[in-house]
Amino acid sequence: MIYWIFGQQKKVITLQNYQITQLKAAEQEAILSRTRKILHRIASDIHDGPLQELKLVMDKIELEPDLDVDSILDKLTALGQEIRDKLSNIRGLAEKMKVTPALRQGLDVGISATLLDLVNSGKLTLTVIKELQPLQEPALNSVWIEQREEIYRFFREALNNVIQHAQPPHGIATQVCISLGQQGDRCTLVIANDGSIVESTTNGRKKGGYGNKIMDAIAAELPNGAWKILTLPNGGVRVTLSWRLP
């Protein structure tokens, strides 16, 4: 009997070690894939932003004989600073390229833990309403681990917008509602507040902003991913992200 119990325990330990090894391998693959995507985003952002502006300035220097040297120098200084800021994002990439520990227990657990931390730290002062349904997550799927980190980043960007623009003293919101749900293989994440003013929108999506560019990129890379931002009748704002679970 003792030998049988010992044998069963050994099997359980062997299985647990195998699962841990598989999880580490899946997480490492997810980190490498996510690193490539974020580096590509930063490179595209530099190319489409400050480098294009720099080309315009250089063309102006070549084509216009009478130039305001001070304004040109100011412009070049600003472009240089913008490029340095974006390169600093690359230096901080190592910190981003880790699997968020709380997410290992599920996207709903990670979101809930983050909300609790923000409330306890005093950064989030609104009343928080949580409607978080656990998703049927494929635990050892590296594709999902990567997507989960990106969805979590989307959540942080959307919540940061609430804190910066809707939460007093910047806005007039009193509560924020975060919901996460799944129907079939379709999942939806919603972040809604009850009283802020949205800047001008186009097709239901807020114009401009680096955060919105990130949210655009995240939604575009998720399977059947889409997001939108809507002004509610009470003056609040609702941000919705939807995607297909792998």
Side-chain angles (χ1 to χ4, degrees):
M1 183 66 178
I2 295 176
Y3 290 109
W4 181 83
I5 294 174
F6 178 77
Q8 291 300 109
Q9 289 178 335
K10 187 176 180 180
K11 288 181 180 178
V12 170
I13 292 171
T14 301
L15 178 59
Q16 288 175 340
N17 288 338
Y18 174 75
Q19 290 175 332
I20 290 171
T21 301
Q22 291 294 95
L23 179 59
K24 286 182 177 179
E27 288 181 347
Q28 187 65 29
E29 187 176 342
I31 289 170
L32 290 173
S33 177
R34 189 161 177 250
T35 300
R36 286 193 294 267
K37 288 181 179 178
I38 291 182
L39 286 174
H40 178 73
R41 288 177 198 165
I42 294 173
S44 296
D45 200 40
I46 293 175
H47 178 270
D48 296 339
L51 288 185
Q52 293 298 319
E53 289 288 329
L54 181 60
K55 182 179 183 302
L56 293 175
V57 172
M58 298 306 294
D59 289 344
K60 190 172 184 179
I61 292 174
E62 290 181 5
L63 298 174
E64 297 184 19
D66 299 322
L67 292 173
D68 184 344
V69 176
D70 289 337
S71 67
I72 292 294
L73 289 176
D74 289 343
K75 183 65 174 177
L76 290 174
T77 300
L79 289 173
Q81 184 60 52
E82 186 176 354
I83 292 174
R84 282 193 293 273
D85 289 343
K86 293 183 185 303
L87 291 177
S88 71
N89 291 336
I90 296 177
R91 296 189 190 99
L93 199 59
E95 286 299 316
K96 296 178 183 177
M97 292 301 102
K98 297 177 181 177
V99 172
T100 306
L103 293 181
R104 290 191 175 105
Q105 302 176 56
L107 182 60
D108 59 311
V109 175
I111 289 175
S112 185
T114 298
L115 291 170
L116 182 61
D117 288 344
L118 289 172
V119 170
N120 289 341
S121 68
K123 294 180 181 178
L124 180 59
T125 60
L126 302 176
T127 299
V128 177
I129 301 172
K130 296 186 294 184
E131 300 172 354
L132 303 175
Q133 171 192 347
L135 306 181
Q136 297 174 1
E137 302 185 22
L140 300 179
N141 187 318
S142 64
V143 174
W144 167 243
I145 292 172
E146 178 187 354
Q147 291 172 359
R148 185 174 61 192
E149 292 289 336
E150 292 290 273
I151 293 163
Y152 176 72
R153 188 180 183 192
F154 183 100
F155 157 73
R156 292 301 302 263
E157 290 288 345
L159 188 61
N160 184 62
N161 284 341
V162 173
I163 294 172
Q164 295 296 323
H165 304 294
Q167 178 174 284
H170 309 294
I172 58 173
T174 61
Q175 66 181 32
V176 60
C177 178
I178 295 91
S179 64
L180 176 68
Q182 178 178 352
Q183 290 186 337
D185 64 354
R186 193 72 182 170
C187 301
T188 304
L189 172 67
V190 179
I191 301 95
N193 68 80
D194 65 345
S196 66
I197 300 173
V198 183
E199 297 172 5
S200 57
T201 58
T202 303
N203 296 328
R205 183 166 299 173
K206 191 175 176 181
K207 285 184 178 179
Y210 182 66
N212 288 332
K213 290 181 181 178
I214 291 174
M215 294 159 85
D216 270 330
I218 291 172
E221 291 173 359
L222 292 173
N224 299 121
W227 83 282
K228 60 183 178 181
I229 180 167
L230 296 175
T231 306
L232 304 176
N234 64 355
V237 175
R238 181 172 64 222
V239 174
T240 304
L241 173 68
S242 60
W243 71 95
R244 181 177 57 80
L245 197 69

